[in-house]
Amino acid sequence: MAATIQGIGATAYSVNSDRFQLPSLRSFSESKGRFFALRSEGKVIGGSRGRNVSPLVTNAVAAKGESATASTSAKPGFNVLFLLRHEVLLFEALREGLDEEMMRDPSVCVMGEDVGHYGGSYKVTKGLAEKYGDLRVLDTPIAENSFTGMGIGAAMTGLRPVIEGMNMGFLLLAFNQISNNCGMLHYTSGGQFKIPVVIRGPGGVGRQLGAEHSQRLESYFQSIPGIQMVACSTPYNAKGLMKAAIRCENPVILFEHVLLYNLKERIPDEEYVLSLEEAEMVRPGEHVTILTYSRMRYHVMQAAKTLVNKGYDPEVIDIRSLKPFDLYTIGNSVKKTHRVLIVEECMRTGGIGASLTAAITENFHDYLDAPIVCLSSQDVPTPYAGTLEEWTVVQPAQIVTAVEQLCK
Amino acid sequence: MALSHVATTSRSQLLKPLTIISSSLRHPISTDTTPITVETSVPFTGHKCEPPSRTVETNPQELLTFFKDMALMRRMEIAADSLYKAKLIRGFCHLYDGQEAVAVGMEAALTKKDCIITAYRDHCIFLGRGGTLLESFAELMGRKDGCSRGKGGSMHFYKKEGGFYGGHGIVGAQVPLGCGLAFAQKYSKDENVTFALYGDGAANQGQLFEALNMAALWDLPAILVCENNHYGMGTAEWRAAKSPAYYKRGDYVPGLKVDGMDALAVKQACKFAKEHALKNGPIVNFSPVDTLETTLVELLEMDTYRYHGHSMSDPGSTYRTRDEISGVRQERDPIERIRKLILAHDLATEKELKDIEKEFRKDVDEAIAAAKESPMPDPSELFTNIYVKDCGLEVYGVDRKEVKTMLP
């Protein structure tokens, strides 16, 4: 079993959230006193052929009085090879994950608009068409409904397509295929067919892209039974989640963010796969649990810096798995801090935050000292004007205010 | 109606092995394979291709199999009609009687490795692909022994081993899936084809043309078959389509118009289409002269008719006259045509054929009785097959309060 290191508290944040760097390993040895969470992924990596997902948390809901079993066993020993790292940008990390999986399994293929010869509009598939050919990295016409359907049909026979939506918003055209055929086919066929597709693409509010290109599709897709949804936020988890999503037997929707593609980080040279259903502990703390995902993680960490200076100790969790929620990690955190703040980019009505609020209230009501506060984007189409766009999305200052209110 | 000309040829061309759909056949099928040559009722009409000859090679074994298969299908559909009226089948039930020739003719031209995908009028095609009567009736009645474990219903019959990919409720959504099946076949270099069936109503769907474009662009081994029963739900074809010549709607894709009430014509057309789709050799694009070489995809239009309404909730007589229905039944009924052929060639006596039908009546009654005995699915089945391996997830019932379960 190899242990992976996650969530080392980062020291340096630039105000520009576009470039986010984790400290190099040299500084790691200096921070012995700091608590860090090690999580064993339980996966034999490096040359494994099996498609088994790591042993999953069988009880997703933390029951009362149950001692927290070792999901955070701080084992000091770790694979030395793991220390070898290389620096990548997030889109390169995604590409690495995709490349490794395509090499490992010939049934993995990519389809989408401009993914082949153009190299992908966000360069995620750059170079893959030259390496794997035009059939494995397929340039499709601009017909989301039908090429998503085509990917699903191919998956029914055993292929593992990775379907790219150039922007998540365009996948609204493929909603019928995603909902009915992708999500429900395993059920309505009584288990005869499985649909191991990965549907991925960038979404979220960008820089003045306009209303139609700034959509957060996770709110619309979350009700579809039969799919899993994950959101990546760092190069490390982007590569791990991409690989896990491709290996997963269920349809997975991988939400990337338009503004996070150029994040830089040093990721391990050795192969690793993350768990699709686990949340990531970004910064352990005592006073309040802040749940977030994707780009809002960086706004939260920026606010956390201010909060720490003000004497607060927030615990920041990147939930990563949007469907299903990792209620185990979240529950343990709630039991510790008794206060929850959700920071999301979805709109107020019917977003991931709304579902998460309901889930936490239902399961952990007794542990809460205060009502859950959910900071979401405004229920408006994203305006073009820069200042207006800024006001639709949650900003760090609002997060600081909310925590102060919550911890009164 | 064209009568047959008995002609023995020196070619002892054996036709492909035929499917046996009822496991409880008591009359041995005549194994006589002396070729008989029959002319189809009407010649084929081609669009951008040279249509195949009207002269079809068949043999007594095949004709008897056609008769039996169609008689069984007809009986099953009539029985389903009574079951629906007895409220044992609920929801939607779309019956195929009248169109049986398409199902059996297609089966005669294909193997089980070829894929068939269709919409919701799928009971008979399911039978043709190897489904049993028990699976059929049990699924219609929502019982555990149904082909989809009772969780799919009339519109979601699937048979993975038989290469039958459903069974889809949304009009037209199965055509992109069909192209995906063909894509997978091309990817795996299978030398098999996919027949994607749709109706005249679905012929006006955009996703069909999107899928056709992609199939033609990448030379996928897909054959799109329009089962034109002239009424899209309650609207006649001429009121819904500017160009009801569906076999021409593929434009650059070769098309063939077939008499869908003549099983032999259907068989000939499907064989022709399959050979065309698997044709190897250089594909000359933009060739102005021989358009047959520009695409491997083929569009077949089956001119057929359904006696029942669109579904059981449609009487079928508000948008067409009873005279029309009985007229078609008298002149073009597929089972009658084969019966006349059999009698004309002295392959069986009138009494023998009637006995076969009586026996199938009994088989169907037995299957219905067995299906009625089959239990309803277990309540735990509500949560199975949502995800593959149903991994550690929490699933809520409708009210989020009571019905909650932890998936294993």
Side-chain angles (χ1 to χ4, degrees), chain A residues 8 21-29 85 266:
Chain A
I8 305 169
Q21 292 195 336
L22 281 181
S24 68
L25 277 170
R26 259 171 278 127
S27 65
F28 174 77
S29 52
R85 295 175 160 228
R266 294 180 66 81

Side-chain angles (χ1 to χ4, degrees), chain A residues 8 20 38 65 77 91 112 128 133 145 154 159 169 195 254 282 288 291 334 344 346 348 354-355 364 379 382:
Chain A
I8 305 169
F20 175 71
L38 280 171
F91 71 87
L128 295 182
N145 193 5
L159 288 194
I195 318 286
L254 173 58
V282 183
V288 59
L291 302 172
V334 173
E344 57 157 357
C346 279
R348 182 55 182 220
S355 301
F364 308 116
D379 275 343
T382 312

Side-chain angles (χ1 to χ4, degrees), chain B residues 97-214:
Chain B
D97 54 321
Q99 298 183 214
E100 300 90 351
V102 178
V104 300
M106 199 178 297
E107 274 309 317
L110 302 180
T111 68
K112 286 292 183 284
K113 291 219 162 81
D114 298 312
C115 306
I116 295 186
I117 190 168
T118 183
Y120 41 78
R121 213 176 290 279
D122 54 352
H123 308 162
C124 298
I125 301 193
F126 169 72
L127 227 52
R129 289 263 94 185
T132 65
L133 286 173
L134 175 62
E135 280 176 339
S136 216
F137 285 117
E139 186 61 36
L140 287 172
M141 295 199 267
R143 306 299 170 103
K144 210 152 81 157
D145 291 322
C147 54
S148 301
R149 315 243 278 258
K151 302 203 281 195
S154 160
M155 297 189 284
H156 299 286
F157 280 24
Y158 303 89
K159 188 119 192 130
K160 188 165 183 187
E161 314 82 61
F164 181 51
Y165 289 81
H168 296 273
I170 303 296
V171 169
Q174 76 277 9
V175 182
L177 289 185
C179 286
L181 300 172
F183 175 79
Q185 285 171 331
K186 183 176 170 108
Y187 193 97
S188 324
K189 302 190 167 79
D190 261 354
E191 300 281 311
N192 295 315
V193 296
T194 299
F195 274 68
L197 276 60
Y198 61 97
D200 48 293
N204 300 316
Q205 278 263 326
Q207 50 190 328
L208 196 134
F209 296 97
E210 293 175 19
L212 192 64
N213 175 46
M214 292 195 290

Side-chain angles (χ1 to χ4, degrees), chain A residues 53 56-58 60-61 106-109 111 135-136 138-141 143 145-147 149-150 152-154 156-157 159 176-177 180-181 185-194 225-228 249-250 277 323-324 327 358-359 362-363, chain B residues 115 117 139 147-149 151-152 156 158-161 164-165 168 170 172-174 176-177 179-181 183-184 186-188 207 210-211 213-214 217-218 220 381-389 391-394 396 400-401 404 406-407:
Chain A
V53 185
L56 295 156
V57 177
T58 52
V61 181
S107 66
V108 178
C109 56
M111 49 183 79
L135 195 66
R136 275 189 91 182
L138 190 64
D139 275 324
T140 63
N145 193 5
S146 43
F147 73 69
M150 199 177 89
I152 295 167
M156 281 169 95
T157 64
L159 288 194
N176 174 52
Q177 297 289 350
N180 290 331
N181 294 330
L185 211 52
H186 187 63
Y187 191 84
T188 57
S189 67
Q192 285 182 67
F193 295 109
K194 56 181 171 76
I227 57 162
Q228 292 187 237
E249 302 293 325
N250 297 310
E277 293 92 9
K323 187 179 169 98
L327 287 177
E362 225 167 83
N363 289 297
Chain B
C115 306
I117 190 168
E139 186 61 36
C147 54
S148 301
R149 315 243 278 258
K151 302 203 281 195
H156 299 286
Y158 303 89
K159 188 119 192 130
K160 188 165 183 187
E161 314 82 61
F164 181 51
Y165 289 81
H168 296 273
I170 303 296
Q174 76 277 9
L177 289 185
C179 286
L181 300 172
F183 175 79
K186 183 176 170 108
Y187 193 97
S188 324
Q207 50 190 328
E210 293 175 19
N213 175 46
M214 292 195 290
L217 187 64
W218 299 318
L220 303 182
E381 283 278 324
L382 182 61
F383 301 106
T384 58
N385 299 129
I386 298 180
Y387 294 98
V388 177
K389 294 191 291 199
C391 39
L393 304 168
E394 193 176 75
Y396 286 98
R400 296 199 71 141
K401 282 188 169 61
K404 183 164 88 167
M406 234 62 78
L407 297 176

Side-chain angles (χ1 to χ4, degrees), chain A residues 250-270:
Chain A
N250 297 310
V252 180
I253 306 186
L254 173 58
F255 289 92
E256 301 154 14
H257 197 286
V258 277
L259 294 182
L260 298 184
Y261 278 126
N262 289 323
L263 287 180
K264 206 184 270 198
E265 189 180 355
R266 294 180 66 81
I267 63 172
D269 284 351
E270 198 180 33

Side-chain angles (χ1 to χ4, degrees), chain B residues 317-335:
Chain B
S317 49
T318 53
Y319 46 85
R320 48 185 194 174
T321 60
R322 291 198 202 277
D323 286 339
E324 180 189 301
I325 306 173
S326 48
V328 175
R329 205 189 271 273
Q330 264 169 3
E331 280 166 36
R332 296 176 66 202
D333 186 80
I335 302 180

